[in-house]
């Protein structure tokens, strides 16, 4: 299936096995219960995911009914999709573009379409993609794989649950804004390359050092 081949890529199974051998920590359990009570949570739990040792997703379910799931760093995970079932909001990492599948596999991250598909599998009301590669100026340029349930996170973004219905409608405006930023970045990088080339020619030229 979709998640086949991911097993064994991370050490979550090993972490889970080791955790089962450790006695529960009463202080940790008490602290979690106190936090749940303070925040009005029905559920606060971690889910081991496919990344490095001790990598976990976080599941929060409020007594009022909303459910928030944060993936952390991970490959697509059936266990995460199951934990995110019917989530109000799934925040999922989307480190790589779809054409960098091999790199995503090697570094145990997800591509944009993999993150979107996890949200679809989980039947999450909204999925917001985050943790983008530094290849992007701020966010990746959205493509046609984005669904009517998908949004994009950007620096300093805050989201109120009441605003979740409009999150997907922001994708197209963001596409226009960040396409302009990408174009400006490419132009600036090209100008810097030409300038550096001119400096190199000046320093290596005999005579008066004029740029040629």
């Amino acid at each position: 299936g979709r998640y086949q081949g991911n097993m064994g890529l991370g050490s979550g199974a090993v972490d889970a096995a080791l955790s089962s051998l450790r006695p529960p920590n009463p202080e940790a359990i008490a602290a979690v219960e106190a936090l749940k009570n303070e925040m009005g949570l029905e559920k606060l739990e971690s889910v081991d995911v496919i990344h490095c040792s001790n990598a976990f997703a976080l599941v929060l379910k409020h007594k009022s009914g909303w459910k928030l799931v944060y993936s952390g760093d991970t490959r697509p995970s059936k266990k995460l999709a199951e934990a995110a079932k019917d989530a109000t909001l799934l925040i999922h990492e989307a480190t790589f573009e779809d054409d960098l599948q091999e790199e995503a596999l090697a570094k145990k991250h997800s591509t944009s379409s993999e993150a979107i598909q996890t949200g679809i599998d989980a039947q999450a009301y909204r999925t917001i993609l985050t943790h983008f590669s530094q290849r992007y100026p701020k966010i990746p340029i959205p493509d046609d794989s984005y669904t009517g349930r998908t949004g994009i996170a950007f620096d300093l973004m805050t989201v109120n649950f009441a605003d979740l219905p409009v999150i997907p409608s922001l994708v197209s405006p963001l596409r226009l804004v960040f396409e302009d930023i990408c174009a400006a970045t490419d132009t600036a990088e090209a100008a810097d390359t030409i300038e550096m080339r001119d400096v190199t020619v000046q320093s290596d030229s005999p005579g008066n050092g004029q740029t040629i």
Side-chain angles (χ1 to χ4, degrees), residues 58-61 66-70 87-91 161:
L58 182 65
V59 179
L60 305 176
K61 186 173 182 180
W66 59 259
K67 180 178 177 181
L68 170 66
V69 180
Y70 177 61
T88 311
L89 176 60
L90 168 63
I91 303 173
F161 273 62

Side-chain angles (χ1 to χ4, degrees), residues 138 153-159:
K138 294 290 181 182
F154 51 86
D155 290 348
L156 305 180
M157 179 182 184
T158 60
V159 177

Side-chain angles (χ1 to χ4, degrees), residues 2 8 43 49 59 61 65 79 83 88 99 106 112 149 173-174 180 185 193-194 203-204 207:
R2 182 174 302 112
K43 178 185 290 186
V49 294
V59 179
K61 186 173 182 180
K79 191 170 184 179
T88 311
D99 59 355
S112 295
R149 295 187 174 193
L174 286 171
D180 291 342
T185 301
T193 300
I194 292 171
S203 63
D204 293 341

Side-chain angles (χ1 to χ4, degrees), residues 10-12 14-16 18-19 22 47-49 51-57:
S11 53
V14 175
D15 293 334
L18 290 175
S19 296
R22 303 188 191 106
V47 179
D48 56 298
V49 294
H51 190 59
C52 61
S53 179
N54 292 317
F56 299 96

Side-chain angles (χ1 to χ4, degrees), residues 119-195:
I120 293 171
D121 293 345
Q123 297 182 316
Y125 174 64
R126 291 291 181 263
T127 300
I128 293 182
L129 308 185
T130 189
H131 195 271
F132 308 119
S133 169
Q134 293 182 352
R135 291 179 180 83
Y136 311 123
K138 294 290 181 182
I139 64 169
I141 300 302
D143 59 29
D144 294 336
S145 69
Y146 284 64
T147 72
R149 295 187 174 193
T150 307
I152 301 172
F154 51 86
D155 290 348
L156 305 180
M157 179 182 184
T158 60
V159 177
N160 189 301
F161 273 62
D163 297 327
L164 288 180
V166 302
I167 289 296
S169 67
L170 300 177
V171 171
S172 292
L174 286 171
R175 182 203 301 263
L176 296 176
V177 170
F178 285 100
E179 277 180 348
D180 291 342
I181 292 176
C182 286
T185 301
D186 291 342
T187 300
E189 288 178 351
D192 289 343
T193 300
I194 292 171
E195 184 178 342

